[in-house]
Amino acid sequence: MTLNWIAPAERIQQLPPYVFARLDELKAKAREQGLDLIDLGMGNPDGATPQPVVDAAVKALQNSANHGYPPFEGTASFRRAITSWYRRRYEVDLDPDSEALPLLGSKEGLTHLAIAYINPGDLVLVPNPAYPAHFRGPAIAGGKVHSLILKPENDWLIDLAAIPDAVAEQAKMLYFNYPSNPTAATAPREFFTEIVAFARRFEILLVHDLCYAELAFDGYQPTSLLEIPGAKDIGVEFHTLSKTYNMAGWRVGFVVGNRHVIQGLRTLKTNLDYGIFSALQTAAETALQLPDVYLQEVQERYRIRRDFLIQGLAHLGWNVNKTKATMYLWVPCPVGLSSTDFALDVLQKTGVVFTPGNAFGVAGEGYVRISLIAECDRLSEALYRFKQAGIHY
Ligand SMILES: *Cc1c(COP(=O)(O)O)cnc(C)c1O
């Protein structure tokens, strides 16, 4: 007997298919055909977790005190490690009990925050293109997403002046993310000051995703929302250990900022999950306490790949500006090809995987996102295949 006459809830049915899942199908097909794939599609870092973090996890695993349910609100010592890291990195003081909450990766928190704050029909402002959780979370919560269309001529910054007052007055929440996935754009500090003023004026909950806090190059230091005076009154900021510390599989992130908002999310999560395995919280503390030389190594690894790929693409006709942060290049498709057509064409002809820009929203059409998640020898092989296949801008 099949149960296909019991339909999933509308909140699930209304979601468009997750593009990465669709890409996985196509990749599986290409593999079956014997193609040696070079996967630059996902945002999954390719390196190993730093050895001191692995060592700390192994040690914590041996301690049976860590084997039970962790405290709902995260271990006190991980929360203290988070607030100490904030103080060190941004000179921002936070209360570890009320202004910091560990998460099972930031994606979980970004979506659950929408469920904790959005009633069906509530208006949520979300940039387009954006990281999928920023619009899918509000959609799952039943919110109405108002897209803030980002444009190359604005350097992919949100144009706050273009938001009609009537829309801003209705909006309850605004998600944003600089340095940005997928566009790799960064926002100057003045932009953060403006968006805080905007959110305060219209009483909008500001949600900043700073998951590329430390993947920045050439001396650039990304701004934290909480560095801006008054931001804590209306905002929260999400962080992840997935990217900087190559810990994507560990599922560790955190949110900091306004205590009421954090309390709302904590209340929801108390009813949904038990948080992160305590042994992993101990390891995560070690990650946040790693000496800066570790960060410099990671940054250098991505910087070298960035420079290598930008130079290689230049030989094929692309003029890609040097990105100041993230592990992505955001590259225009050759004229006349849609994102999907171009990504499929490249995959079929060369076995190289890009993410079509429209996976991040309609305004990502015309671009592909290339992740810097392979060593230069593989990037070199990819460039060689493009040349052979006649792929150029
Ligand atoms: C990778 C990524 C995340 C997800 O991080 P997790 O902590 O692994 O869930 C969140 N936001 C953006 C913009 C990302 O690129």
Side-chain angles (χ1 to χ4, degrees):
M1 190 171 108
T2 57
L3 282 184
N4 58 11
W5 41 272
I6 301 181
E10 278 161 24
R11 74 175 72 86
I12 295 302
Q13 293 189 57
Q14 57 152 13
L15 290 171
Y18 205 74
V19 168
F20 296 105
R22 182 149 168 260
L23 215 59
D24 274 349
E25 274 169 41
L26 295 172
K27 284 191 288 188
K29 233 180 247 163
R31 273 200 200 93
E32 272 168 34
Q33 292 163 3
L35 271 175
D36 164 34
L37 284 187
I38 301 176
D39 191 347
L40 309 178
M42 296 290 284
N44 196 355
D46 57 310
T49 302
Q51 195 56 44
V53 178
V54 174
D55 292 343
V58 169
K59 186 156 170 258
L61 204 52
Q62 300 288 1
N63 179 358
S64 64
N66 286 326
H67 295 176
Y69 289 117
F72 280 119
E73 66 282 5
T75 64
S77 78
F78 183 35
R79 281 184 278 108
R80 276 197 303 272
I82 292 168
T83 54
S84 306
W85 178 84
Y86 240 83
R87 163 121 279 284
R88 188 155 49 94
R89 191 65 75 240
Y90 304 111
E91 296 178 17
V92 169
D93 284 316
L94 294 167
D95 171 22
D97 291 331
S98 60
E99 295 176 330
L101 180 67
L103 300 168
L104 292 156
S106 57
K107 185 179 179 185
E108 169 260 296
L110 287 161
T111 294
H112 283 144
L113 184 63
I115 295 176
Y117 270 83
I118 294 301
N119 287 313
D122 282 349
L123 195 66
V124 186
L125 306 180
V126 186
N128 188 327
Y131 178 67
H134 299 168
F135 51 88
R136 284 166 181 267
I140 289 170
K144 245 172 49 198
V145 171
H146 177 94
S147 290
L148 307 174
I149 301 294
L150 307 181
K151 298 180 183 152
E153 58 267 31
N154 266 338
D155 297 327
W156 304 100
L157 275 186
I158 300 170
D159 183 358
L160 293 169
I163 304 172
D165 278 5
V167 170
E169 272 155 17
Q170 262 191 41
K172 185 162 181 187
M173 224 167 153
L174 189 165
Y175 282 78
F176 73 118
N177 160 232
Y178 292 104
S180 157
N181 174 10
T183 66
T186 55
R189 201 184 171 82
E190 305 81 72
F191 173 81
F192 280 85
T193 307
E194 281 166 29
I195 202 165
V196 167
F198 174 85
R200 290 177 68 98
R201 172 168 169 221
F202 292 104
E203 297 180 347
I204 296 171
L205 166 52
L206 259 192
V207 181
H208 186 230
D209 182 346
L210 186 48
C211 73
Y212 297 99
E214 290 171 314
L215 291 189
F217 320 116
D218 310 326
Y220 174 68
Q221 158 83 56
T223 305
S224 161
L225 173 67
L226 301 182
E227 287 177 67
I228 307 301
K232 219 183 358 181
D233 297 338
I234 42 90
V236 290
E237 186 162 77
F238 285 81
H239 289 262
T240 182
L241 276 72
S242 299
K243 309 288 163 57
T244 314
Y245 305 102
N246 289 323
M247 290 174 71
W250 299 56
R251 312 309 304 132
V252 184
F254 55 90
V255 59
V256 288
N258 186 276
R259 68 183 64 221
H260 303 291
V261 178
I262 286 186
Q263 182 54 44
L265 179 57
R266 184 188 291 122
T267 301
L268 176 71
K269 278 174 61 60
T270 303
N271 289 281
L272 287 176
D273 66 61
Y274 276 101
I276 309 161
F277 183 20
S278 300
L280 302 192
Q281 295 193 54
T282 306
E285 283 169 42
T286 306
L288 292 184
Q289 290 157 358
L290 284 172
D292 283 349
V293 57
Y294 167 76
L295 292 181
Q296 287 150 13
E297 278 168 26
V298 176
Q299 290 162 350
E300 196 56 7
R301 192 160 74 229
Y302 286 110
R303 187 195 62 76
I304 288 169
R305 294 172 179 181
R306 173 199 70 173
D307 291 350
F308 183 83
L309 197 56
I310 287 178
Q311 198 180 28
L313 288 171
H315 290 303
L316 300 171
W318 271 279
N319 178 13
V320 182
N321 285 334
K322 278 199 177 169
T323 51
K324 281 197 258 179
T326 77
M327 47 196 252
Y328 308 108
L329 299 184
W330 181 241
V331 173
C333 301
V335 178
L337 283 181
S338 72
S339 298
T340 310
D341 290 345
F342 181 51
L344 287 181
D345 191 48
V346 169
L347 176 57
Q348 273 151 9
K349 288 187 180 147
T350 68
V352 178
V353 184
F354 296 158
T355 305
N358 58 9
F360 306 99
V362 288
E365 185 49 78
Y367 288 79
V368 290
R369 189 193 71 179
I370 309 179
S371 301
L372 302 170
I373 53 173
E375 296 292 2
C376 289
D377 60 335
R378 293 296 277 169
L379 297 178
S380 166
E381 168 69 21
L383 289 164
Y384 173 76
R385 292 186 197 172
F386 296 161
K387 199 163 167 221
Q388 295 296 307
I391 285 162
H392 60 84
Y393 185 56

